Amino acid sequence: MLTEAQRKLVRKFYLLPQLARRALTTIFILSAEMLLLSMLDDLVFQTPGAFLPGWIAYIALVIVLTVFCCYAYLSPRLGMGKPRWEAIECERRAARAQAREQAKAAEPTDAARMAAAAAAEVAALGQAAGDPADAASAAYGISGTARYLEATNSLARDAERAARDLGIGLPDAKRAGRIMMLAVLAALALVYGVHFIARTASMRADSQVAAETISAITDAFERRGYYVIGDDPAEAYDRDGYSVNAHLSDTADDTTFVSLDVDNDGVVTEVSYKLQVDPARSLEENLARAEERLAELHAVVEGLDVPVAAPGLLSYGALPDAFSKAFRAGTLYDDIYLSPDDLGSSEGAAIWCSFDTLPKEDWFDGMEPDIWLTLETDR
């Protein structure tokens, strides 16, 4: 007579291999979920860098599932070789012998014999139908996954046969497997869900701060009659920041403007002046004209009352002497490029200055080269 502990052992050795297969499947599905959540985090919520808690949760869940896969296989695999299982096998053999004796005593009729033979034939066909699956599994035996699945399937079948012979009710392995899978997937989704909620609130707050700085810049230039084009953080969040361009003219005839970059803390991180060069004028005339327009733009920039990453972004507004000398000594067809290595910095702002043009043979109608003065920080 089986004890309750022996009945629980049979159920355990039946359920664990089934859950092992489900856990292995869950690892692959969990990886796909992680990829989807990471893409969502990057493209929609624009989290800077990797979301570390999410990766920690993913790795922890994979480790837990891997350990469970090992345990769910080794526990019945080793347990079926121990005396406790041998005692169950003895009870099973006794139960099968008793069943055979009862079958002989029943003395089945010819019709019963025919039904039994038909059932045996169906079972044989079922076994034969299963053989190709076993063969396929063996064909893929070079794969560790296939071998693992076959091994756990064999253990589950052994426990199932023992339960059938001994009349032991078995748990619903499919339901238990689905619950386990959903719990694991939900755990990772919960970690990212909390992060997405917090990130949404953070994006909204950042957009509001950036919008205040952009509004202050826009108002300052519009009061002076400039044509201003700027990003609106309220319409679309951008983790890389926003820009505001103030043009001297709203026509395409003059492309001179100043551009200010604002990050999500509402801090100005870069200022660039674009000064149009007129090919019909001499180099000296263009230089004087560029300096005059730069001074006009800078007069508004230095008066801005907005947060800045470095004071030099607003305070510096002149063409460097090294650039002026190089411009006078060159032609309209010679590029000039001076970096902070050549120009240094001013009050924490690195200075770049260039003259962007093309060789004479590459010029085209309407070609207008430009002088650029850029002040930037590492922020």
Side-chain angles (χ1 to χ4, degrees):
M1 188 69 176
L2 288 177
T3 64
E4 185 58 30
Q6 289 174 319
R7 293 177 180 274
K8 289 182 179 179
L9 188 63
V10 173
R11 296 189 187 101
K12 175 183 176 181
F13 286 176
Y14 166 75
L15 183 60
L16 281 180
Q18 306 255 30
L19 293 181
R21 297 200 300 273
R22 180 70 70 168
L24 187 61
T25 303
T26 301
I27 291 176
F28 294 108
I29 297 178
L30 183 69
S31 299
E33 181 189 23
M34 181 63 187
L35 177 61
L36 178 62
L37 291 172
S38 296
M39 292 175 59
L40 190 65
D41 188 34
D42 181 58
L43 299 177
V44 178
F45 295 93
Q46 301 188 41
T47 299
F51 176 51
L52 189 57
W55 280 99
I56 292 175
Y58 165 70
I59 293 172
L61 289 171
V62 170
I63 291 174
V64 169
L65 288 171
T66 302
V67 171
F68 177 77
C69 284
C70 296
Y71 167 75
Y73 167 69
L74 292 176
S75 180
R77 177 69 180 83
L78 299 177
M80 287 182 178
K82 293 183 178 180
R84 287 192 306 167
W85 187 258
E86 183 58 32
I88 294 174
E89 286 293 332
C90 290
E91 291 289 342
R92 179 188 176 191
R93 286 193 291 270
R96 295 184 66 179
Q98 183 179 0
R100 284 195 296 270
E101 291 297 330
Q102 291 175 350
K104 289 180 181 180
E107 295 182 355
T109 62
D110 291 341
R113 291 191 188 95
M114 292 175 64
E121 184 177 354
V122 171
L125 290 174
Q127 181 64 34
D131 289 341
D134 292 340
S137 178
Y140 289 99
I142 56 173
S143 166
T145 301
R147 292 198 301 270
Y148 177 81
L149 293 175
E150 178 59 30
T152 53
N153 192 40
S154 176
L155 292 170
R157 284 198 301 266
D158 289 344
E160 184 179 13
R161 294 189 189 102
R164 184 176 60 247
D165 292 338
L166 295 170
I168 300 174
L170 293 175
D172 188 345
K174 291 185 178 180
R175 181 173 179 274
R178 285 194 295 267
I179 292 174
M180 179 187 69
M181 177 181 288
L182 291 175
V184 171
L185 298 179
L188 183 61
L190 179 62
V191 172
Y192 269 91
V194 173
H195 166 61
F196 290 158
I197 293 173
R199 183 64 186 153
T200 299
S202 176
M203 290 167 62
R204 188 179 297 112
D206 289 347
S207 297
Q208 184 176 356
V209 173
E212 291 174 358
T213 298
I214 291 175
S215 177
I217 295 172
T218 301
D219 291 344
F221 278 100
E222 287 182 342
R223 284 196 299 269
R224 299 288 292 270
Y226 288 83
Y227 176 63
V228 182
I229 302 174
D231 296 326
D232 186 357
E235 290 185 358
Y237 176 88
D238 189 343
R239 64 182 163 198
D240 296 325
Y242 314 89
S243 63
V244 183
N245 294 346
H247 295 252
L248 282 177
S249 171
D250 60 355
T251 67
D253 297 334
D254 194 332
T255 58
T256 298
F257 66 84
V258 60
S259 176
L260 295 91
D261 290 351
V262 179
D263 65 14
N264 281 289
D265 293 326
V267 177
V268 176
T269 59
E270 182 176 315
V271 178
S272 294
Y273 299 89
K274 179 176 180 289
L275 310 169
Q276 182 180 338
V277 172
D278 185 355
R281 300 171 185 263
S282 67
L283 292 176
E284 193 64 38
E285 288 176 330
N286 272 303
L287 186 61
R289 183 168 177 258
E291 289 174 338
E292 178 184 346
R293 291 186 160 198
L294 176 59
E296 184 179 347
L297 292 169
H298 181 250
V300 183
V301 172
E302 67 178 348
L304 292 173
D305 184 16
V306 293
V308 292
L313 293 173
L314 303 185
S315 63
Y316 190 91
L319 293 177
D321 291 338
F323 175 82
S324 298
K325 292 178 181 178
F327 187 79
R328 290 191 182 97
T331 69
L332 288 174
Y333 315 109
D334 298 325
D335 277 333
I336 300 174
Y337 178 80
L338 300 178
S339 70
D341 292 336
D342 307 305
L343 304 175
S345 62
S346 174
E347 296 184 273
I351 304 172
W352 303 74
C353 197
S354 66
F355 174 53
D356 296 340
T357 185
L358 292 174
K360 187 174 183 178
E361 60 271 17
D362 295 332
W363 271 48
F364 50 86
D365 291 341
M367 171 70 184
E368 294 178 345
D370 302 300
I371 294 173
W372 283 90
L373 172 65
T374 300
L375 306 163
E376 66 177 18
T377 64
D378 293 334
R379 177 164 176 165

